[in-house]
C-alpha cells in the first residue's frame, strides 16, 4: 500500500459532530481543505505549504518545489517536499 500526505498550518475548528446515536470527531477549516488538496497532488509523497515549511526547515531537510495550482486558490501555491 502507498500513501500521500499533505501538511498545512493554521487555525481549525475541532469537536464532536452528529446525533445522539452516532457521532464523530472532526476538523473543519480552510487549512484542512488545503491539506487535502496537497495530499491529492503528492503522488505517494509528502507536500507541505510554505507556512509549514519555513519553521520546519530548522529540523527537517525540505526541498522547495515549483508552485502548484489547487482548487480554491487563485494564485499558485508554493510547496515543499
Amino acid at each position: 500500500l502507498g500513501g500521500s500526505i499533505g501538511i498545512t498550518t493554521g487555525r481549525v475548528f475541532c469537536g464532536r459532530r452528529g446525533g445522539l446515536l452516532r457521532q464523530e470527531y472532526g476538523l473543519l477549516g480552510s487549512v484542512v481543505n488545503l491539506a487535502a488538496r496537497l495530499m491529492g497532488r503528492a503522488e505517494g509523497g509528502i507536500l507541505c505549504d510554505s507556512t509549514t515549511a519555513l519553521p520546519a526547515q530548522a529540523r527537517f531537510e525540505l526541498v522547495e518545489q515549483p508552485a502548484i495550482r489547487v482548487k480554491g486558490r487563485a494564485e499558485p501555491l508554493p510547496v515543499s517536499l
Side-chain angles (χ1 to χ4, degrees):
L1 295 173
S4 299
I5 300 172
I7 304 172
T8 58
T9 300
R11 189 174 294 258
V12 298
F13 297 97
C14 60
R16 293 180 296 170
R17 58 185 178 194
L20 293 173
L21 298 177
R22 182 173 179 268
Q23 293 185 358
E24 65 182 13
Y25 191 83
L27 302 171
L28 298 171
S30 63
V31 294
V32 176
N33 296 333
L34 181 56
R37 304 275 186 231
L38 292 178
M39 180 187 69
R41 300 286 302 272
E43 300 175 357
I46 301 172
L47 283 180
C48 65
D49 65 352
S50 58
T51 305
T52 305
L54 191 60
Q57 287 175 341
R59 296 190 63 195
F60 302 99
E61 185 177 324
L62 301 175
V63 178
E64 198 170 322
Q65 300 293 304
I68 61 172
R69 291 199 173 273
V70 293
K71 183 178 174 183
R73 300 279 176 141
E75 298 295 319
L77 182 71
V79 293
S80 294
L81 177 65

Coordinates of all heavy atoms in Angstrom, one line a residue:
L1 N 0.8 -1.2 0.0 CA 0.0 0.0 0.0 C 0.9 1.2 0.0 O 1.9 1.3 0.6 CB -0.9 0.0 1.2 CG -1.9 -1.1 1.4 CD1 -2.6 -1.0 2.7 CD2 -2.9 -1.0 0.3
G2 N 0.4 2.3 -0.7 CA 1.1 3.5 -0.7 C 0.2 4.6 -0.1 O -1.0 4.4 0.2
G3 N 0.8 5.7 0.2 CA 0.0 6.8 0.8 C 0.6 8.2 0.4 O 1.8 8.2 0.0
S4 N -0.2 9.2 0.5 CA 0.2 10.5 0.2 C -0.2 11.4 1.4 O -1.2 11.1 2.0 CB -0.5 11.1 -1.1 OG -0.2 10.3 -2.2
I5 N 0.6 12.4 1.7 CA 0.4 13.3 2.8 C 0.5 14.7 2.4 O 1.4 15.1 1.7 CB 1.4 13.0 3.9 CG1 1.3 11.5 4.4 CG2 1.2 13.9 5.1 CD1 2.4 11.1 5.3
G6 N -0.5 15.5 2.9 CA -0.5 17.0 2.7 C -0.5 17.6 4.1 O -1.3 17.3 4.9
I7 N 0.5 18.5 4.3 CA 0.6 19.2 5.6 C 0.5 20.7 5.5 O 1.1 21.3 4.6 CB 2.0 18.9 6.2 CG1 2.2 17.3 6.3 CG2 2.1 19.5 7.6 CD1 3.6 17.0 6.7
T8 N -0.4 21.3 6.3 CA -0.6 22.7 6.3 C -0.6 23.2 7.8 O -0.7 22.3 8.7 CB -1.9 23.1 5.7 OG1 -3.0 22.4 6.3 CG2 -1.9 22.8 4.2
T9 N -0.5 24.5 8.0 CA -0.5 25.0 9.3 C -1.6 26.1 9.4 O -1.7 26.9 8.4 CB 0.9 25.7 9.7 OG1 1.8 24.6 9.6 CG2 0.9 26.3 11.0
G10 N -2.3 26.2 10.4 CA -3.3 27.2 10.6 C -4.4 26.9 11.6 O -4.3 25.8 12.3
R11 N -5.4 27.7 11.7 CA -6.4 27.6 12.7 C -7.6 26.7 12.2 O -8.0 26.8 11.0 CB -7.0 28.9 13.1 CG -7.9 28.9 14.2 CD -8.4 30.3 14.6 NE -7.2 31.1 15.1 CZ -7.0 31.3 16.4 NH1 -7.8 30.9 17.3 NH2 -5.9 32.0 16.8
V12 N -8.0 25.7 13.0 CA -9.1 24.9 12.7 C -10.1 24.8 13.8 O -9.8 25.2 14.9 CB -8.6 23.4 12.4 CG1 -7.7 23.4 11.2 CG2 -8.0 22.8 13.6
F13 N -11.3 24.4 13.5 CA -12.3 24.1 14.5 C -12.4 22.6 14.6 O -12.5 21.9 13.6 CB -13.7 24.7 14.1 CG -13.7 26.2 13.9 CD1 -13.5 26.8 12.7 CD2 -13.8 27.0 15.0 CE1 -13.5 28.1 12.5 CE2 -13.8 28.4 14.9 CZ -13.6 28.9 13.6
C14 N -12.4 22.1 15.9 CA -12.5 20.7 16.1 C -13.5 20.4 17.1 O -13.8 21.2 18.0 CB -11.1 20.1 16.4 SG -10.4 20.8 17.9
G15 N -14.1 19.2 17.0 CA -15.0 18.7 18.0 C -15.9 17.6 17.5 O -15.8 17.1 16.4
R16 N -16.8 17.2 18.4 CA -17.7 16.1 18.0 C -18.8 16.7 17.1 O -19.3 17.8 17.3 CB -18.4 15.5 19.3 CG -17.4 14.8 20.1 CD -18.0 14.2 21.3 NE -18.5 15.3 22.1 CZ -19.3 15.2 23.2 NH1 -19.8 14.1 23.5 NH2 -19.7 16.3 23.8
R17 N -19.3 15.9 16.2 CA -20.5 16.2 15.4 C -21.3 15.0 15.2 O -20.8 13.9 15.1 CB -20.0 16.9 14.1 CG -19.2 16.1 13.2 CD -18.7 16.9 12.0 NE -17.8 16.1 11.2 CZ -17.0 16.5 10.3 NH1 -17.1 17.8 10.0 NH2 -16.3 15.7 9.6
G18 N -22.6 15.2 15.0 CA -23.5 14.1 14.8 C -24.7 14.2 15.7 O -24.9 15.2 16.4
G19 N -25.4 13.1 15.8 CA -26.6 13.0 16.6 C -26.3 12.2 17.9 O -25.2 12.0 18.3
L20 N -27.4 11.8 18.6 CA -27.2 11.1 19.9 C -26.7 9.7 19.7 O -26.0 9.2 20.5 CB -28.6 11.1 20.6 CG -29.1 12.4 21.1 CD1 -30.5 12.3 21.7 CD2 -28.1 13.0 22.1
L21 N -27.1 9.0 18.6 CA -26.7 7.6 18.3 C -25.4 7.5 17.6 O -24.7 6.5 17.8 CB -27.8 6.9 17.5 CG -29.1 6.9 18.2 CD1 -30.1 6.2 17.3 CD2 -29.0 6.1 19.5
R22 N -25.0 8.4 16.8 CA -23.7 8.3 16.1 C -23.0 9.7 16.0 O -23.6 10.6 15.6 CB -24.0 7.8 14.7 CG -22.8 7.6 13.9 CD -23.1 7.0 12.5 NE -21.9 6.9 11.7 CZ -21.4 7.8 10.9 NH1 -22.1 8.9 10.7 NH2 -20.3 7.6 10.2
Q23 N -21.8 9.7 16.5 CA -21.0 10.9 16.5 C -19.6 10.6 15.9 O -19.2 9.5 16.0 CB -20.9 11.5 17.9 CG -22.2 12.0 18.5 CD -22.0 12.7 19.8 OE1 -20.9 12.8 20.3 NE2 -23.0 13.2 20.4
E24 N -19.0 11.6 15.5 CA -17.6 11.5 15.0 C -16.9 12.8 15.5 O -17.5 13.8 15.7 CB -17.5 11.3 13.5 CG -18.0 12.5 12.7 CD -17.9 12.2 11.2 OE1 -17.7 11.1 10.8 OE2 -18.0 13.2 10.5
Y25 N -15.6 12.7 15.6 CA -14.7 13.8 15.9 C -14.1 14.3 14.6 O -13.6 13.5 13.8 CB -13.6 13.4 16.9 CG -12.9 14.6 17.4 CD1 -13.4 15.2 18.6 CD2 -11.7 15.0 16.9 CE1 -12.7 16.3 19.1 CE2 -11.0 16.0 17.5 CZ -11.5 16.7 18.6 OH -10.8 17.7 19.1
G26 N -14.2 15.6 14.3 CA -13.7 16.1 13.1 C -13.1 17.5 13.2 O -13.2 18.1 14.2
L27 N -12.4 17.8 12.1 CA -11.7 19.1 12.0 C -12.3 19.9 10.8 O -12.6 19.3 9.7 CB -10.2 19.0 11.7 CG -9.5 18.2 12.8 CD1 -8.1 17.9 12.3 CD2 -9.4 18.9 14.1
L28 N -12.6 21.2 10.9 CA -13.1 22.0 9.9 C -12.2 23.2 9.7 O -11.8 23.8 10.7 CB -14.5 22.4 10.2 CG -15.6 21.4 10.3 CD1 -16.9 22.0 10.8 CD2 -15.8 20.7 9.0
G29 N -12.0 23.7 8.5 CA -11.3 24.9 8.3 C -10.6 24.9 6.9 O -10.5 23.8 6.3
S30 N -10.2 26.0 6.4 CA -9.6 26.1 5.1 C -8.3 25.4 5.0 O -8.0 24.8 4.0 CB -9.4 27.6 4.7 OG -8.6 28.2 5.6
V31 N -7.5 25.3 6.1 CA -6.3 24.6 6.1 C -6.5 23.1 6.0 O -5.6 22.4 5.4 CB -5.4 24.9 7.3 CG1 -4.9 26.4 7.2 CG2 -6.0 24.6 8.6
V32 N -7.6 22.6 6.5 CA -7.9 21.2 6.3 C -8.2 20.9 4.9 O -7.7 19.9 4.3 CB -9.2 20.8 7.2 CG1 -9.6 19.3 7.0 CG2 -8.9 21.0 8.7
N33 N -8.9 21.7 4.2 CA -9.2 21.6 2.8 C -7.9 21.7 2.0 O -7.7 20.9 1.0 CB -10.2 22.6 2.3 CG -11.6 22.5 3.0 OD1 -11.9 21.4 3.4 ND2 -12.3 23.5 3.1
L34 N -7.1 22.6 2.3 CA -5.8 22.8 1.6 C -4.9 21.5 1.8 O -4.3 21.1 0.8 CB -5.1 24.0 2.1 CG -3.7 24.3 1.4 CD1 -3.9 24.4 -0.1 CD2 -3.1 25.6 2.0
A35 N -4.9 21.0 3.0 CA -4.1 19.8 3.2 C -4.6 18.6 2.3 O -3.8 17.9 1.8 CB -4.1 19.4 4.7
A36 N -5.9 18.5 2.2 CA -6.5 17.5 1.3 C -6.1 17.7 -0.1 O -5.8 16.8 -0.9 CB -8.0 17.5 1.5
R37 N -6.1 19.0 -0.6 CA -5.6 19.3 -2.0 C -4.2 18.9 -2.2 O -3.8 18.4 -3.2 CB -5.8 20.8 -2.3 CG -7.2 21.3 -2.1 CD -8.1 21.0 -3.2 NE -9.4 21.6 -3.0 CZ -10.5 21.0 -3.2 NH1 -10.6 19.7 -3.5 NH2 -11.7 21.6 -3.0
L38 N -3.3 19.2 -1.2 CA -1.9 18.9 -1.3 C -1.7 17.4 -1.3 O -0.9 16.8 -2.0 CB -1.1 19.5 -0.2 CG -1.0 21.0 -0.2 CD1 -0.2 21.5 1.0 CD2 -0.3 21.5 -1.5
M39 N -2.5 16.7 -0.5 CA -2.4 15.2 -0.4 C -2.7 14.6 -1.8 O -2.1 13.7 -2.3 CB -3.4 14.7 0.6 CG -3.3 13.2 0.7 SD -4.6 12.5 1.8 CE -6.1 12.9 0.9
G40 N -3.7 15.2 -2.4 CA -4.1 14.7 -3.8 C -3.1 14.9 -4.8 O -3.0 14.2 -5.8
R41 N -2.2 15.9 -4.6 CA -1.1 16.2 -5.6 C 0.2 15.6 -5.2 O 1.2 15.7 -6.0 CB -1.0 17.7 -5.7 CG -2.2 18.5 -6.2 CD -2.5 18.3 -7.7 NE -1.4 18.7 -8.5 CZ -1.2 19.9 -9.0 NH1 -2.0 20.9 -8.7 NH2 -0.1 20.2 -9.8
A42 N 0.3 15.0 -4.0 CA 1.6 14.5 -3.5 C 2.1 13.3 -4.3 O 3.3 12.9 -4.2 CB 1.5 14.2 -2.0
E43 N 1.3 12.5 -4.9 CA 1.6 11.3 -5.7 C 2.5 10.4 -4.9 O 3.6 10.0 -5.4 CB 2.3 11.8 -7.0 CG 1.4 12.6 -7.9 CD 2.2 13.1 -9.1 OE1 3.4 12.9 -9.3 OE2 1.5 13.8 -10.0
G44 N 2.0 9.9 -3.8 CA 2.8 9.0 -3.0 C 3.8 9.6 -2.1 O 4.6 8.8 -1.4
G45 N 3.9 10.9 -2.0 CA 4.9 11.5 -1.2 C 4.3 12.4 -0.2 O 3.1 12.3 0.2
I46 N 5.0 13.4 0.2 CA 4.6 14.4 1.2 C 4.8 15.8 0.6 O 5.8 16.1 0.1 CB 5.4 14.3 2.5 CG1 5.3 12.9 3.1 CG2 4.9 15.4 3.5 CD1 6.2 12.7 4.3
L47 N 3.7 16.6 0.7 CA 3.8 18.1 0.3 C 3.4 18.9 1.5 O 2.4 18.6 2.2 CB 2.9 18.4 -0.9 CG 3.4 17.9 -2.3 CD1 2.4 18.3 -3.3 CD2 4.7 18.6 -2.6
C48 N 4.1 20.0 1.7 CA 3.6 21.0 2.7 C 3.6 22.4 2.1 O 4.4 22.7 1.2 CB 4.5 20.9 4.0 SG 6.2 21.3 3.8
D49 N 2.8 23.2 2.7 CA 2.7 24.6 2.3 C 3.9 25.4 2.8 O 4.6 24.9 3.7 CB 1.4 25.2 2.6 CG 1.1 25.4 4.1 OD1 1.9 24.8 4.9 OD2 0.1 26.0 4.5
S50 N 4.1 26.6 2.3 CA 5.2 27.4 2.8 C 5.1 27.9 4.2 O 6.1 28.1 4.9 CB 5.4 28.7 1.9 OG 4.2 29.4 1.9
T51 N 3.9 28.0 4.7 CA 3.6 28.4 6.1 C 4.2 27.3 7.1 O 4.7 27.6 8.1 CB 2.1 28.6 6.4 OG1 1.6 29.5 5.5 CG2 1.9 29.1 7.8
T52 N 4.1 26.1 6.7 CA 4.6 24.9 7.4 C 6.1 24.7 7.2 O 6.9 24.4 8.1 CB 3.9 23.6 7.0 OG1 2.5 23.9 7.2 CG2 4.3 22.5 7.9
A53 N 6.5 24.9 5.9 CA 7.9 24.6 5.6 C 8.9 25.6 6.3 O 10.0 25.1 6.7 CB 8.1 24.7 4.1
L54 N 8.6 26.8 6.4 CA 9.5 27.8 6.9 C 10.0 27.4 8.3 O 11.2 27.3 8.5 CB 8.9 29.2 6.9 CG 9.8 30.4 7.2 CD1 10.9 30.4 6.2 CD2 9.0 31.7 7.2
P55 N 9.1 27.2 9.3 CA 9.7 26.8 10.6 C 10.2 25.4 10.7 O 11.1 25.0 11.5 CB 8.5 27.0 11.6 CG 7.3 26.9 10.7 CD 7.7 27.4 9.4
A56 N 9.7 24.5 9.8 CA 10.1 23.1 9.8 C 11.6 22.9 9.3 O 12.2 21.9 9.6 CB 9.2 22.2 9.0
Q57 N 12.0 23.9 8.5 CA 13.4 23.8 7.9 C 14.5 23.7 9.0 O 15.6 23.3 8.7 CB 13.6 24.9 6.9 CG 12.9 24.7 5.7 CD 13.0 25.9 4.7 OE1 13.4 27.0 5.1 NE2 12.7 25.7 3.5
A58 N 14.2 24.2 10.2 CA 15.2 24.1 11.2 C 15.5 22.6 11.7 O 16.5 22.3 12.1 CB 14.7 24.9 12.4
R59 N 14.5 21.7 11.5 CA 14.6 20.4 11.9 C 14.6 19.3 10.8 O 15.1 18.2 11.0 CB 13.5 20.0 12.9 CG 13.6 20.8 14.2 CD 12.6 20.3 15.2 NE 13.0 19.0 15.6 CZ 12.2 18.1 16.3 NH1 11.0 18.5 16.6 NH2 12.6 16.9 16.6
F60 N 14.1 19.7 9.6 CA 14.0 18.8 8.5 C 14.6 19.4 7.2 O 14.6 20.6 7.0 CB 12.5 18.5 8.2 CG 11.8 17.9 9.4 CD1 11.0 18.7 10.2 CD2 11.9 16.5 9.7 CE1 10.4 18.2 11.3 CE2 11.3 16.0 10.8 CZ 10.5 16.8 11.6
E61 N 15.1 18.5 6.4 CA 15.6 18.9 5.1 C 14.5 18.9 4.1 O 14.0 17.9 3.7 CB 16.7 18.0 4.7 CG 17.4 18.4 3.4 CD 18.6 17.5 3.0 OE1 19.3 17.0 3.9 OE2 18.8 17.3 1.8
L62 N 14.0 20.1 3.7 CA 12.9 20.2 2.8 C 13.5 20.8 1.4 O 14.4 21.5 1.4 CB 11.9 21.2 3.3 CG 11.3 20.8 4.7 CD1 10.3 21.8 5.1 CD2 10.5 19.4 4.5
V63 N 12.8 20.3 0.4 CA 13.2 20.8 -1.0 C 12.0 21.6 -1.5 O 10.9 21.0 -1.7 CB 13.5 19.6 -1.9 CG1 13.9 20.0 -3.3 CG2 14.6 18.7 -1.3
E64 N 12.3 22.8 -1.9 CA 11.3 23.7 -2.4 C 10.9 23.1 -3.8 O 11.8 22.8 -4.6 CB 11.7 25.1 -2.5 CG 10.6 26.1 -2.7 CD 11.1 27.5 -2.5 OE1 11.9 27.7 -1.6 OE2 10.6 28.4 -3.2
Q65 N 9.6 23.1 -4.1 CA 9.1 22.6 -5.4 C 8.5 23.8 -6.2 O 8.2 24.8 -5.6 CB 8.0 21.5 -5.1 CG 8.5 20.3 -4.4 CD 9.6 19.5 -5.2 OE1 9.3 19.1 -6.3 NE2 10.7 19.3 -4.6
P66 N 8.3 23.6 -7.5 CA 7.6 24.6 -8.2 C 6.2 24.8 -7.7 O 5.5 23.9 -7.2 CB 7.5 24.1 -9.6 CG 8.6 23.0 -9.7 CD 8.7 22.5 -8.3
A67 N 5.7 26.0 -7.7 CA 4.4 26.3 -7.2 C 3.3 25.6 -8.0 O 3.5 25.3 -9.2 CB 4.1 27.8 -7.3
I68 N 2.3 25.1 -7.3 CA 1.2 24.4 -8.0 C -0.1 25.1 -7.8 O -0.3 25.9 -6.9 CB 1.1 22.9 -7.4 CG1 0.7 23.0 -5.9 CG2 2.3 22.1 -7.6 CD1 0.4 21.6 -5.3
R69 N -1.0 24.8 -8.8 CA -2.4 25.4 -8.7 C -3.3 24.4 -8.0 O -3.2 23.2 -8.3 CB -2.9 25.7 -10.1 CG -2.2 26.8 -10.7 CD -3.1 27.4 -11.9 NE -2.5 28.6 -12.4 CZ -2.7 29.8 -11.9 NH1 -3.5 30.0 -10.9 NH2 -2.1 30.9 -12.5
V70 N -4.0 24.8 -7.0 CA -5.0 24.0 -6.3 C -6.4 24.6 -6.4 O -6.5 25.8 -6.4 CB -4.6 23.7 -4.9 CG1 -3.3 22.8 -4.8 CG2 -4.4 24.9 -4.1
K71 N -7.4 23.8 -6.4 CA -8.8 24.3 -6.4 C -9.0 25.2 -5.2 O -8.6 24.8 -4.1 CB -9.7 23.1 -6.4 CG -11.2 23.4 -6.5 CD -12.0 22.2 -6.5 CE -13.5 22.5 -6.4 NZ -14.3 21.3 -6.4
G72 N -9.7 26.3 -5.4 CA -10.0 27.2 -4.3 C -9.0 28.3 -4.1 O -9.2 29.1 -3.3
R73 N -7.9 28.3 -4.8 CA -6.8 29.3 -4.7 C -6.6 29.9 -6.0 O -6.4 29.3 -7.0 CB -5.5 28.7 -4.2 CG -5.6 28.0 -2.9 CD -5.5 29.1 -1.8 NE -5.6 28.4 -0.5 CZ -4.9 28.8 0.6 NH1 -4.0 29.8 0.5 NH2 -5.1 28.2 1.7
A74 N -6.6 31.3 -6.1 CA -6.4 32.0 -7.3 C -5.0 32.0 -7.8 O -4.7 31.8 -9.0 CB -6.9 33.4 -7.2
E75 N -4.1 32.1 -6.9 CA -2.6 32.1 -7.2 C -2.0 30.7 -7.0 O -2.4 29.9 -6.1 CB -1.9 33.1 -6.2 CG -2.4 34.5 -6.4 CD -2.1 35.1 -7.8 OE1 -1.0 34.8 -8.3 OE2 -3.0 35.8 -8.3
P76 N -0.9 30.4 -7.7 CA -0.2 29.2 -7.5 C 0.4 29.1 -6.1 O 0.8 30.2 -5.5 CB 0.9 29.2 -8.5 CG 0.4 30.2 -9.6 CD -0.4 31.2 -8.9
L77 N 0.4 28.0 -5.5 CA 0.8 27.8 -4.1 C 2.2 27.2 -4.0 O 2.5 26.2 -4.6 CB -0.2 26.8 -3.4 CG 0.0 26.5 -2.0 CD1 -0.3 27.7 -1.1 CD2 -0.8 25.3 -1.6
P78 N 3.1 28.0 -3.3 CA 4.5 27.4 -3.1 C 4.4 26.2 -2.2 O 3.8 26.2 -1.2 CB 5.2 28.6 -2.5 CG 4.3 29.7 -2.4 CD 3.0 29.3 -2.7
V79 N 5.1 25.2 -2.6 CA 5.1 23.9 -1.8 C 6.5 23.4 -1.6 O 7.4 23.8 -2.4 CB 4.2 22.8 -2.4 CG1 2.8 23.2 -2.4 CG2 4.7 22.5 -3.8
S80 N 6.7 22.6 -0.6 CA 8.0 21.9 -0.4 C 7.8 20.4 -0.2 O 6.7 20.0 0.2 CB 8.7 22.5 0.9 OG 9.0 23.8 0.7
L81 N 8.8 19.7 -0.4 CA 8.8 18.2 -0.4 C 9.7 17.8 0.7 O 10.8 18.3 0.9 CB 9.2 17.7 -1.7 CG 9.3 16.2 -1.9 CD1 8.0 15.5 -1.7 CD2 9.9 15.9 -3.3

